[in-house]
Amino acid sequence: MDFDESPEDAAFRAEAAAWLDEVRHTPEAVQVRRRPGEDDAAFAERARPWQALLAEHRWAAITWPEEFGGRAGTGSQAAIFNEEAAARSLPTSPFIVGTGMAGPTIIAHGTEEQKARYLPPMLRGEQVWCQLFSEPGAGSDLAGLSTRAVRDGDEWVIDGQKVWTSGAHYSDYGILLARTDPDVPKHRGITYFLIDMHQPGVEVRPLRQITGASHFSEVFLTGARVPHDAVLGEVGGGWAAAMTTLGNERTFMGGNGAGPGLADLFALARSTGATKDPILRQHLASAHIRAEVMGYLGMQVRTAASKGQPPGPGASVLKVMAAWNSKCNAELALAMQGPAGMLADASAPEDGRWQQNFLFVPSLRIAGGSDEIQRNIVGERVLGLPPEPRTDKSVPFRDVPTAT
Ligand SMILES: Cc1cc2nc3c(=O)[nH]c(=O)nc-3n(C[C@H](O)[C@H](O)[C@H](O)COP(=O)(O)OP(=O)(O)OC[C@H]3O[C@@H](n4cnc5c(N)ncnc54)[C@H](O)[C@@H]3O)c2cc1C
């Protein structure tokens, strides 16, 4: 593991910091700062000019090849840009499902026509993307998905239900996995589609969460159509492309410090007088230690990324730790507010942003692969524990017993 930044990364950090300082007071940057309790759809709309500015200066997708508007940068450089932007309270990409997941998958598995058609508007924030993978009966066991796609001439007809689809209610396109061959084992009969969300047969029903926001939706697909030229990769070969998407997702889920950062937590401690309370001081010290440990874990993952290695199990360790850290910090923030911690919305300190954060962070333990699944990965691939029995792996999908 490299503890020091390489000269290239240090130069990259300086360039990123200088650019962010130059633009931080522009209308695009000022209006993109998140407002407490704001609806995701309204935020995405407000964030479009910022995304266009990032794209114009080639900061919107640092790891993409230069020919598609990226910088051919490393994962480590993308993380450096995120850190510098976060230090200035600027979001790096409100359109992360597109630039962070769909884009890299299209670059790795798409045709030249698909790259030319989908990547430029995605990069500029003109077309918003969502991820239509999870289903009511397929989350951790994603390969057990049962949404069907049947070929009809030059098109595919899709029927099924997706759930947990973040941003579906304001998305223009979706990356969708559907079963195209139930006669082969479950991982082999899946195809990856790029689907237009604005068409008859795609019904999006937003779900209201405990925060009051509707971050994700149920999506019902009834005879929805996808042209054959919007199949990504091989028919039946969707699992390989899905692995590209999920590898990218896990990396940014672990790397993104969700919600307020450590500096905000310490500012809250000073304003509430928690720094004088011996018990709360212990918890603040723990928060500092966790941040340091996560910093080293991040370095480990970034060192691997800068050597061109895939995210691997280190990203799973980081994701589990990041979710747990966010939960501990959210609890500490409310404890520091004393009785005011029980208030909500505008009556609570700082317009209730800590309360919103407290309600939001448990979802980090599920999104992008649950804690238990990450621990299975660590158990099997780091600790060398015996793998889980997977009895349905080589059975044709239609013969796998189901509850229905
Ligand atoms: C905020 C949020 C946003 C999301 N956004 C999206 C999105 O945009 N697109 C999308 O496709 N999906 C999205 N998801 C879905 C997410 O990927 C799934 O929720 C996750 O993979 C878990 O699947 P599940 O909910 O079906 O739970 P299940 O797989 O049914 O799991 C239920 C419980 O059983 C445990 N479990 C399951 N299998 C095992 C095992 N083998 N060993 C040990 N424990 C196990 C799980 O850890 C969990 O605690 C989102 C989820 C959240 C919370």
Side-chain angles (χ1 to χ4, degrees):
M1 175 165 90
D2 299 331
F3 289 93
D4 296 320
E5 236 158 52
S6 66
E8 297 79 36
D9 282 359
F12 180 89
R13 186 183 289 281
E15 186 188 347
W19 184 77
L20 287 162
D21 282 338
E22 194 183 309
V23 299
R24 67 193 296 186
H25 299 300
T26 58
E28 291 91 339
V30 170
Q31 76 160 17
V32 79
R33 292 199 169 84
R34 194 89 204 221
R35 299 169 189 162
E38 183 182 28
D39 174 63
D40 283 351
F43 174 63
E45 199 51 47
R46 214 157 46 71
R48 283 178 199 255
W50 171 244
Q51 182 70 13
L53 190 71
L54 288 173
E56 189 189 333
H57 295 271
R58 297 193 302 116
W59 296 109
I62 287 158
T63 56
W64 287 19
E66 288 182 13
E67 60 180 307
F68 302 122
R71 290 177 174 248
T74 59
S76 148
Q77 289 170 342
I80 288 172
F81 187 78
N82 288 356
E83 279 170 19
E84 292 297 324
R88 292 161 181 80
S89 304
L90 289 166
T92 41
S93 180
F95 305 106
I96 192 72
V97 175
T99 55
M101 294 161 65
T105 315
I106 292 173
I107 290 168
H109 301 273
T111 62
E112 293 312 311
E113 290 75 28
Q114 287 171 337
K115 291 174 197 173
R117 175 172 172 197
Y118 297 109
L119 296 178
M122 176 192 291
L123 193 73
R124 295 191 295 265
E126 288 159 12
Q127 286 170 355
V128 183
W129 287 68
C130 61
Q131 179 200 18
L132 298 147
F133 282 16
S134 304
E135 300 182 1
S140 304
D141 179 23
L142 183 59
L145 60 88
S146 55
T147 289
R148 285 189 325 272
V150 176
R151 182 100 189 235
D152 179 21
D154 277 346
E155 292 184 323
W156 290 83
V157 183
I158 320 271
D159 286 281
Q161 187 197 339
K162 298 289 174 177
V163 73
W164 299 102
T165 316
S166 303
H169 55 300
Y170 56 88
S171 286
D172 304 298
Y173 282 91
I175 43 176
L176 174 123
L177 296 180
R179 186 158 307 280
T180 44
D181 186 354
D183 294 320
V184 293
K186 61 181 184 176
H187 292 90
R188 297 221 305 265
I190 294 171
T191 300
Y192 198 121
F193 296 93
L194 309 174
I195 186 171
D196 181 350
M197 296 293 286
H198 305 297
Q199 64 164 299
V202 176
E203 188 194 346
V204 178
R205 293 188 202 162
L207 294 166
R208 194 171 144 89
Q209 294 159 243
I210 193 172
T211 54
S214 291
H215 169 78
F216 44 66
S217 300
E218 297 177 293
V219 179
F220 293 85
L221 301 143
T222 316
R225 291 193 168 253
V226 179
H228 183 65
D229 62 15
V231 167
L232 190 69
E234 300 295 319
V235 171
W239 192 248
M243 288 300 99
T244 305
T245 308
L246 296 178
N248 280 284
E249 177 177 22
R250 205 166 294 148
T251 309
F252 71 70
M253 287 286 305
N256 263 3
L262 197 62
D264 299 307
L265 196 69
F266 280 25
L268 180 71
R270 281 184 211 101
S271 72
T272 55
T275 43
K276 298 193 187 77
D277 180 303
I279 306 283
L280 293 174
R281 283 171 69 95
Q282 290 284 356
H283 287 299
L284 286 164
S286 298
H288 175 73
I289 292 165
R290 283 195 302 273
E292 287 292 301
V293 173
M294 278 180 50
Y296 289 122
L297 277 172
M299 267 181 212
Q300 212 170 31
V301 173
R302 277 156 51 175
T303 303
S306 67
K307 291 179 180 154
Q309 293 160 3
S316 294
V317 177
L318 187 58
K319 184 184 179 278
V320 171
M321 172 111 198
W324 175 64
N325 176 58
S326 295
K327 176 177 170 290
C328 295
N329 288 353
E331 287 170 358
L332 175 56
L334 294 205
M336 291 195 299
Q337 291 179 11
M342 292 183 285
L343 301 174
D345 302 328
S347 3
E350 299 183 41
D351 283 335
R353 76 166 174 147
W354 295 99
Q355 281 72 6
Q356 279 284 320
N357 184 53
F358 175 82
L359 294 172
F360 167 75
V361 292
S363 71
L364 297 174
R365 297 179 53 207
I366 307 170
S370 69
D371 274 7
E372 289 76 15
I373 294 301
Q374 307 302 337
R375 289 195 167 106
N376 280 351
I377 294 171
V378 173
E380 291 179 20
R381 291 173 45 199
V382 180
L383 305 176
L385 298 175
E388 288 205 321
R390 293 182 174 100
T391 50
D392 58 357
K393 212 175 159 186
S394 47
V395 180
F397 179 74
R398 69 163 76 251
D399 297 333
V400 175
T402 60
T404 49

